[in-house]
């Protein structure tokens, strides 16, 4: 085989990332398909086991069977491990294990981790991974302690601690799996301790590891400055500033609109006190950041709230973390581009920094690909789910697809009733949503990234708008 053909079939970082996630899903499918994983003592079936494994590894939370009632302790532990692996990334965990074993991380390994977290450089990648693991376990540990203290009086010591650990990991990884029964967190919708803890875990996990490390460094810088210790000047990155700003705006906007739309809905907020309505509205807005916990029944929402949820789920969380979707920074960049056009500016400025044209191009590519995927998957499901004896509303199908691609995990209740083809479509949506459409396309192309253009053609204006 000549050099030209060798290059075509050479595996690069995108292929390895996709392949590693696929292998973990297959292993999870095998384990969850074992009779020991189901309380009935019977195998759940390959397709349902794969659906659950994909949902766990892709930290989505859509389920075809109730997690609490169907799975044994073995099954629940497998799901929890898949969530943790999916949240941190298999290659990240594998690299950290190699580091602890004293093995040297190759240049290719560093580039692979850089691709996994969309980092600008692979310098200091090992230290970055160590910080990720440390920050993750500290946050999950604190969350587990708080939730355990709340659950122990109700479920006993073992049951309370396990629920605390399970829901802390599930919330921080934005997975949305719960083991509280048939109504998720709805019975605890007015419990301030559980709601605030879960929301903080969701927000921190959805911000992305780069932002979390920036926040950690900023806090340390402020503490040292307050103590008048010598410290280097720390400036938060533009990425972190955009992620924090857009996240705050979306959460506040989602809360206010949900509160207004659902205020008099007897099935959701109407029967709650004013402060409880605010709490539930806030939780609904936060869980749409790709988390997937239910504080109110999604099927009971008004059409306006469902449509709002679809938009927020499609946007998703921030890059470089456990979240899926178009991503907050992507939306932020495009909004800034629109503002610059309105103002007649030639450059796009944010926090006194200029955003490159290549970033705008990538943002546009991501949003167009995600919209195309949502459109395509929705059309397919409207055709495949007609002849199964249950007529789904179009908005419920669109809700399900947006939830899967945004790796949110919220559903209006149609997941378990999907046909075989419908489940395959949602599995693919969850997989693409977790890894990102660009990574999938690069992996499927089996070719190296294109070199920069060396030939420049003359410009010519076209009419738009």
């Amino acid at each position: 085989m000549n050099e030209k053909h060798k290059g075509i079939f050479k595996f690069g970082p995108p292929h390895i990332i996709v392949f590693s996630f696929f292998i973990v899903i297959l292993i999870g499918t095998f384990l969850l398909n074992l009779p020991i994983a189901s309380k009935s003592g019977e195998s759940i079936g390959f397709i349902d086991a794969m659906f659950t494994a994909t949902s766990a590894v892709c930290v989505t939370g859509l389920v075809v069977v109730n997690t609490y009632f169907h799975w044994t302790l073995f099954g629940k532990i497998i799901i929890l491990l898949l969530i943790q692996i999916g949240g941190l990334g298999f290659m990240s965990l594998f690299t950290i294990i190699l580091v602890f074993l004293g093995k040297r991380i190759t240049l290719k390994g560093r580039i692979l981790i850089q691709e996994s977290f969309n980092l600008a450089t692979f310098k200091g990648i090992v230290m970055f991974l160590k910080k990720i693991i440390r920050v993750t376990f500290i946050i999950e540990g604190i969350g587990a302690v708080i939730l355990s203290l709340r659950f122990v009086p109700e479920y006993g010591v073992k049951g309370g601690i396990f629920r605390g650990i399970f829901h802390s990991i599930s919330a921080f990884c934005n997975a949305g799996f719960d083991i509280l029964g048939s109504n998720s967190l709805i019975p605890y919708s007015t419990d301030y301790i559980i709601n605030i803890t879960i929301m903080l875990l969701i927000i921190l996990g959805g911000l992305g590891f780069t932002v979390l490390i920036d926040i950690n460094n900023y806090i340390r810088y402020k503490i040292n400055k307050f103590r008048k210790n010598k410290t280097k000047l720390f400036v938060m990155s533009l990425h972190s500033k955009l992620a924090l700003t857009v996240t705050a705006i979306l959460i506040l906007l989602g809360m206010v609109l949900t509160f207004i739309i659902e205020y008099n809905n007897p099935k959701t907020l109407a029967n709650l006190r004013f402060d409880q309505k605010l709490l539930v509205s806030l939780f609904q807005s936060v869980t749409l950041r790709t988390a997937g916990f239910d504080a109110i029944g999604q099927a009971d929402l008004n059409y306006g709230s469902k449509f709002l949820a679809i938009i927020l789920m499609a946007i998703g969380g921030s890059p470089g973390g456990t979240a899926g979707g178009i991503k907050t920074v992507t939306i932020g960049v495009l909004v800034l581009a629109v503002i610059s056009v309105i103002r007649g500016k030639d450059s796009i400025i944010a926090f006194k920094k200029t955003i490159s044209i290549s970033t705008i191009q990538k943002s546009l590519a991501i949003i167009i690909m995600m919209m195309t995927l949502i459109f395509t998957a929705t059309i397919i499901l409207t055709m495949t789910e007609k002849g199964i004896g249950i007529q789904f509303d179009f908005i419920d199908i669109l809700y399900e697809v947006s939830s899967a691609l945004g790796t949110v995990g919220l559903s209006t209740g149609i997941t378990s009733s999907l046909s075989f083809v419908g489940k395959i479509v949602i599995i693919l949506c969850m997989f693409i949503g977790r890894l990102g459409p660009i990574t999938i396309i690069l992996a499927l192309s089996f070719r190296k990234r294109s070199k920069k253009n060396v030939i420049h053609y003359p410009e010519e204006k076209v009419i738009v708008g």
Side-chain angles (χ1 to χ4, degrees):
M1 187 180 288
N2 59 38
E3 291 298 319
K4 182 179 178 181
H5 288 94
K6 282 182 180 179
I8 294 174
F9 295 101
K10 187 175 182 180
F11 286 93
H15 308 107
I16 298 171
I17 293 168
V18 171
F19 185 70
S20 67
F21 269 85
F22 182 67
I23 289 298
V24 174
I25 288 171
L26 282 183
I27 294 171
T29 300
F30 171 76
L31 294 173
L32 291 176
N33 201 30
L34 296 173
I36 192 176
S38 301
K39 288 183 179 179
S40 64
E42 299 178 357
S43 172
I44 189 176
F46 180 82
I47 187 63
D48 287 342
M50 174 169 273
F51 191 101
T52 305
T54 305
S55 185
V57 174
C58 297
V59 290
T60 304
L62 288 173
V63 293
V64 289
V65 293
N66 184 276
T67 308
Y68 173 73
F69 291 113
H70 180 85
W71 303 106
T72 60
L73 179 62
F74 172 81
K76 292 184 179 80
I77 291 174
I78 294 300
I79 289 171
L80 191 62
L81 290 173
L82 292 176
I83 290 170
Q84 189 71 86
I85 293 170
L88 288 172
F90 174 74
M91 295 311 301
S92 301
L93 291 173
F94 181 69
T95 303
I96 285 296
I97 291 171
L98 290 179
V99 170
F100 283 124
L101 291 176
K103 303 293 183 180
R104 185 176 176 273
I105 308 303
T106 63
L107 177 62
K108 188 173 182 179
R110 293 171 189 268
I111 295 173
L112 185 61
I113 300 301
Q114 177 195 358
E115 291 276 348
S116 298
F117 291 99
N118 292 316
L119 299 175
T121 177
F122 57 80
K123 291 181 180 178
I125 202 74
V126 175
M127 184 62 67
F128 176 77
L129 283 178
K130 287 181 179 179
K131 286 181 179 179
I132 284 177
I133 299 296
R134 184 167 63 248
V135 168
T136 297
F137 289 148
I138 288 173
I139 294 173
E140 289 179 348
I142 294 172
V145 170
I146 296 172
L147 292 175
S148 295
L149 291 173
R150 177 61 186 81
F151 287 134
V152 164
E154 187 173 350
Y155 297 101
V157 176
K158 290 183 180 178
I161 291 174
F162 183 68
R163 282 171 175 80
I165 294 171
F166 189 100
H167 293 98
S168 180
I169 293 174
S170 183
F172 180 74
C173 291
N174 283 203
F177 279 83
D178 71 87
I179 49 172
L180 296 173
S182 57
N183 294 313
S184 188
L185 289 174
I186 294 175
Y188 303 94
S189 61
T190 58
D191 188 308
Y192 278 85
I193 293 175
I194 290 178
N195 277 268
I196 291 173
T197 303
I198 294 289
M199 282 192 288
L200 287 174
L201 288 167
I202 291 169
I203 292 169
L204 291 173
L207 284 173
F209 296 113
T210 304
V211 180
L212 289 180
I213 291 172
D214 257 8
I215 292 172
N216 177 63
N217 292 337
Y218 181 75
I219 292 172
R220 291 176 61 182
Y221 165 73
K222 284 295 184 182
I223 291 172
N224 287 329
K225 191 176 179 182
F226 177 76
R227 292 176 177 175
K228 297 182 179 179
N229 296 333
K230 287 185 177 180
T231 182
K232 292 182 179 179
L233 178 66
F234 175 79
V235 179
M236 189 170 285
S237 68
L238 175 60
H239 167 84
S240 295
K241 290 177 180 178
L242 281 172
L244 288 167
T245 302
V246 177
T247 297
I249 291 171
L250 291 175
I251 289 175
L252 182 61
L253 184 65
M255 181 192 74
V256 171
L257 291 177
T258 300
F259 180 82
I260 293 171
I261 299 169
E262 296 296 318
Y263 190 88
N264 292 316
N265 186 346
K267 295 181 179 180
T268 55
L269 300 184
N271 299 318
L272 301 177
R273 296 195 316 260
F274 184 82
D275 64 307
Q276 293 173 340
K277 288 180 181 181
L278 287 174
L279 177 66
V280 174
S281 298
L282 177 60
F283 191 94
Q284 172 70 3
S285 181
V286 170
T287 198
L288 294 171
R289 314 263 22 90
T290 82
F293 291 101
D294 277 315
I296 50 179
Q298 303 303 301
D300 297 326
L301 294 170
N302 288 316
Y303 281 117
S305 295
K306 286 183 181 179
F307 187 65
L308 170 66
I310 287 167
I311 294 171
L312 293 176
M313 288 191 296
I315 293 173
S318 299
T322 60
I326 295 168
K327 304 293 172 57
T328 55
V329 175
T330 307
I331 291 295
V333 166
L334 291 178
V335 170
L336 288 169
V338 171
I339 292 172
S340 69
V341 171
I342 294 171
R343 291 181 174 177
K345 303 290 185 181
D346 294 328
S347 57
I348 301 162
I349 309 297
F351 298 102
K352 297 181 180 180
K353 296 287 180 69
T354 301
I355 298 174
S356 67
I357 296 298
S358 63
T359 302
I360 303 297
Q361 291 173 328
K362 187 176 180 180
S363 298
L364 283 169
I366 291 170
I367 194 169
I368 289 172
M369 283 189 283
M370 286 296 290
M371 290 299 99
T372 302
L373 287 167
I374 290 173
F375 173 80
T376 304
T378 302
I379 292 298
I380 293 172
L381 288 182
T382 58
M383 294 187 294
T384 62
E385 308 309 299
K386 275 185 178 180
I388 62 174
I390 302 174
Q391 188 64 44
F392 297 140
D393 287 342
F394 174 79
I395 196 165
D396 292 331
I397 292 175
L398 181 59
Y399 196 102
E400 192 84 2
V401 170
S402 300
S403 179
L405 279 168
T407 67
V408 180
L410 289 173
S411 175
T412 56
I414 73 172
T415 311
S416 59
S417 301
L418 290 171
S419 65
F420 177 84
V421 176
K423 289 175 182 177
I424 295 295
V425 170
I426 295 299
I427 285 172
L428 290 173
C429 286
M430 291 189 289
F431 192 74
I432 295 171
R434 175 65 181 92
L435 294 173
I438 290 180
T439 300
I440 298 294
I441 288 171
L442 287 173
L444 291 176
S445 66
F446 277 89
R447 62 183 64 182
K448 296 179 181 179
R449 287 186 176 181
S450 306
K451 294 180 180 179
K452 290 185 178 180
N453 293 332
V454 293
I455 301 174
H456 296 277
Y457 296 97
E459 288 186 6
E460 183 173 341
K461 291 186 177 180
V462 295
I463 301 171
V464 296

